Amino acid sequence: MTEDQLLAELGRLYFLEDVSKIELARRFDLSRFKVARMLVKGRERGIIRIQIHEPTQNLPEYADPLTTTLGLPMVRVVETDGSAARVRDTVAQMAAQLLRESWEDGDVVGMGGGRTLHALGGHVMEAPALTVVQMVGVLPSSARMAPLEQLRAIVEASGGSIQTFGTPLFAGSVQRRDSWTAQLGEVRELHDRLDLAVVGIGAWGPEDSILREAYPPAVRSRLDEAGPVAEMLGHWFTADGGVVAQDITRMSITTEIPQLSAAPHVVAVAAGGDKAEAIMGVARSGLITGLVTDREAAERMLQLAGAR
């Protein structure tokens, strides 16, 4: 092999397969000092590159008062900067760390949709043998943002499974919703057996929600009249945690509130100061047990609550 190929092979064996320098020297008929020099040369040439992914750090100075303010057992707050996409990605990375520490073989894990959870799917590098189930129908504009397909290869490689369905969030009528729901079978049964649910939170307003385009004008007007500040899995919440617009939810394909209430752990993943009021509304509903968010959203929530 060429010298560059030899450098690459030495780097692969030493750094990825933990083959010692002494063993490499024996295999390639080199001195161990020559092996050491070649590993250095490989790094200098850029053939061997080492990346360290530092874990995202929690900010207890924000997380601790938020646990009290929101009445949640678990809150994680991360430092973020840059674009909205960068903020979502950093929050998603923290959520992925939390999942790695939380889930176990055999767990039934429900997964919502949206941009932040889509980013989360890209940060999950390994998983135990889980059953991961879709919790809510798809928005026309966000089919590409569903995290489940990103997780499929990882979950199935460990002996787990992914359960999805292709129906939209808003069915348009109670009859159509009931007809589609009746066909979901195993998925609906899994919603009754959730060990963990990971959900996003949407803000509702003229400028704030990608949800608006999923509903016809008459439904949007009905939602505006109901006055929600937040949406989670097609359920609508006021600032004080009340559930409203249940007639709209009745026409939607989603996990039911009793099923969410029965889940031991429901973790919301949401970012951005513009989501602060929405996050607080959902937290006050009592349906979530944990939150992963960013410093800007945390600061705004503490300000709204008068804690800062």
Side-chain angles (χ1 to χ4, degrees):
M1 62 181 72
T2 67
E3 183 179 60
D4 283 355
Q5 290 172 329
L6 177 59
L7 295 178
E9 183 67 4
L10 290 171
R12 183 184 67 80
L13 292 171
Y14 181 72
F15 289 106
L16 298 183
E17 299 189 13
D18 295 322
V19 178
S20 70
K21 292 176 184 175
I22 293 174
E23 175 61 19
L24 290 174
R26 187 192 66 76
R27 290 189 193 184
F28 292 93
D29 194 22
L30 302 168
S31 73
R32 62 188 177 88
F33 303 104
K34 176 68 171 177
V35 169
R37 289 195 296 272
M38 295 191 77
L39 290 171
V40 171
K41 182 184 290 188
R43 294 178 64 182
E44 290 174 345
R45 290 188 183 178
I47 295 172
I48 301 171
R49 300 179 183 179
I50 299 173
Q51 291 184 320
I52 298 174
H53 295 279
E54 183 175 350
T56 305
Q57 298 296 311
N58 182 45
L59 301 177
E61 63 270 31
Y62 293 99
D64 291 347
L66 266 184
T67 60
T68 301
T69 298
L70 300 179
L72 297 176
M74 188 283 295
V75 175
R76 297 288 185 271
V77 178
V78 297
E79 183 63 77
T80 54
D81 55 27
S83 66
R86 174 72 178 272
V87 170
R88 287 193 296 269
D89 190 68
T90 305
V91 170
Q93 185 177 352
M94 169 59 86
Q97 289 176 205
L98 181 65
L99 291 181
R100 286 195 296 271
E101 298 166 3
S102 303
W103 52 25
E104 300 176 351
D105 277 344
D107 279 352
V108 176
V109 178
M111 190 73 67
R115 291 172 291 186
T116 306
L117 294 193
H118 176 78
L120 185 158
H123 287 292
V124 176
M125 298 293 104
E126 59 181 358
L130 307 166
T131 299
V132 184
V133 60
Q134 181 179 338
M135 297 183 71
V136 64
V138 179
L139 295 179
S141 63
S142 64
R144 66 187 184 280
M145 296 186 291
L148 292 177
E149 290 310 314
Q150 291 178 296
L151 293 173
R152 184 179 295 278
I154 293 166
V155 170
E156 292 181 348
S158 66
S161 65
I162 299 282
Q163 301 293 329
T164 62
F165 53 91
T167 58
L169 166 62
F170 185 64
S173 71
V174 173
Q175 292 76 17
R176 189 176 294 117
R177 181 261 189 191
D178 289 345
S179 175
W180 276 336
T181 298
Q183 300 175 44
L184 295 183
E186 183 179 358
V187 167
R188 298 296 289 177
E189 293 176 6
L190 290 172
H191 289 173
D192 289 327
R193 301 194 288 112
L194 295 172
D195 297 294
L196 167 67
V198 185
V199 301
I201 294 175
W204 179 258
E207 306 294 334
D208 297 333
S209 179
I210 63 171
L211 288 166
R212 296 190 73 87
E213 61 192 87
Y215 297 99
V219 177
R220 291 199 296 266
S221 297
R222 167 71 184 93
L223 287 168
D224 289 337
E225 291 171 4
V229 299
E231 175 274 342
M232 181 180 71
L233 300 174
H235 299 280
W236 304 90
F237 303 88
T238 59
D240 62 1
V243 179
V244 296
Q246 294 183 66
D247 54 328
I248 306 300
T249 302
R250 185 71 182 85
M251 293 185 281
S252 304
I253 299 171
T254 184
T255 310
E256 305 294 341
I257 283 181
Q259 294 170 318
L260 282 173
S261 299
H265 307 287
V266 180
V267 178
V269 184
D274 58 339
K275 291 278 187 77
E277 189 177 21
I279 295 170
M280 294 179 76
V282 171
R284 287 167 176 161
S285 75
L287 287 174
I288 63 174
T289 62
L291 171 68
V292 182
T293 191
D294 67 303
R295 179 185 53 78
E296 181 184 356
E299 283 185 333
R300 180 62 180 149
M301 282 186 274
L302 292 172
Q303 290 170 356
L304 289 172
R308 289 211 167 195

